[in-house]
């Protein structure tokens, strides 16, 4: 494991069970993006905990396989409902959503551990903006319950 090693060790030390995606589920996600390629860091996430986690890490947030295949559609619907001139493209992959009013995505062509972008209906005037330099950083900061993780990064 190249990208999530540190986080996985942290979760194991804190005795947080992680449920991996099955190979079948992983293939469903890959099918969803057509000819694009998923970033390696995200594949590691799916292989280690894409089926869910126990306790508090990412619980109640839409990011696991049970809802994952709907997230791009839900993100597009949220933009439409909010009447914003923003659109998700086939290069954007929504991997996290909370309460149906905010979501995070990465671009499929920005490397193996891509930056994370954010949209919230509460901040719709700002449009999409970058919140972390890497997918791994997003996960680490969510685990540490960093309340500033959704702030714009310059």
């Amino acid at each position: 494991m190249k990208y999530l090693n540190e986080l996985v060790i942290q979760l194991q030390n804190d005795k947080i069970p992680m449920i991996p995606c099955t190979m079948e589920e992983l293939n469903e996600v890959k099918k969803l993006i057509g000819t694009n390629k998923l970033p390696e860091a995200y594949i590691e996430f799916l292989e280690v905990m894409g089926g869910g986690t126990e306790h508090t890490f990412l619980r109640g947030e839409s990011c696991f396989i049970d809802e994952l295949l709907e997230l791009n559609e839900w993100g597009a619907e949220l933009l439409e409902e909010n009447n914003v001139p923003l659109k998700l493209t086939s290069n954007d992959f929504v991997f996290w959503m909370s309460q149906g009013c905010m979501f995070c995505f990465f671009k499929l062509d920005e490397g193996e551990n891509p930056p994370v972008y954010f949209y919230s209906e509460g901040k719709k005037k700002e449009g999409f903006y970058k919140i972390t330099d890497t997918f791994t950083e997003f996960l680490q900061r969510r685990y540490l319950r960093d309340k500033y993780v959704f702030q714009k990064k310059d």
Side-chain angles (χ1 to χ4, degrees):
M1 191 170 313
K2 186 174 175 181
Y3 297 99
L4 299 188
N5 201 31
E6 200 177 302
L7 176 64
V8 169
I9 289 168
Q10 236 176 332
L11 292 170
Q12 288 169 337
N13 288 343
D14 292 342
K15 303 202 179 344
I16 295 179
M18 295 167 276
I19 303 156
C21 277
T22 64
M23 194 47 77
E24 228 169 61
E25 291 167 333
L26 192 57
N27 287 332
E28 282 297 306
V29 178
K30 288 178 178 176
K31 220 185 289 175
L32 185 70
I33 61 167
T35 57
N36 290 318
K37 183 181 168 303
L38 286 170
E40 198 58 43
Y42 187 68
I43 291 173
E44 284 183 12
F45 168 80
L46 294 174
E47 289 175 342
V48 175
M49 64 187 95
T53 59
E54 300 292 325
H55 304 299
T56 57
F57 183 53
L58 299 174
R59 296 290 286 181
E61 299 172 19
S62 302
C63 62
F64 297 119
I65 196 64
D66 61 337
E67 296 176 298
L68 183 60
L69 301 176
E70 321 297 330
L71 295 183
N72 266 55
E73 191 180 313
W74 294 348
E77 286 171 8
L78 179 61
L79 296 172
E80 211 172 282
E81 287 166 16
N82 285 312
N83 284 324
V84 291
L86 302 167
K87 296 273 183 259
L88 290 166
T89 71
S90 60
N91 188 43
D92 300 328
F93 186 85
V94 177
F95 69 87
W96 179 93
M97 192 170 215
S98 182
Q99 301 165 347
C101 65
M102 60 179 89
F103 63 85
C104 289
F105 67 95
F106 51 74
K107 294 179 182 298
L108 294 166
D109 64 356
E110 289 192 334
E112 296 301 347
N113 196 3
V116 170
Y117 301 89
F118 179 68
Y119 173 81
S120 169
E121 64 184 12
K123 298 180 176 196
K124 61 185 173 188
K125 288 181 186 67
E126 296 181 53
F128 299 141
Y129 58 86
K130 184 165 82 165
I131 57 169
T132 61
D133 289 327
T134 64
F135 174 70
T136 308
E137 179 190 349
F138 173 81
L139 292 178
Q140 284 280 6
R141 290 178 67 185
R142 291 299 296 141
Y143 185 61
L144 297 172
R145 297 179 173 271
D146 179 349
K147 63 183 180 202
Y148 302 110
V149 69
F150 298 110
Q151 292 189 345
K152 194 177 215 169
K153 185 163 193 145
D154 296 322

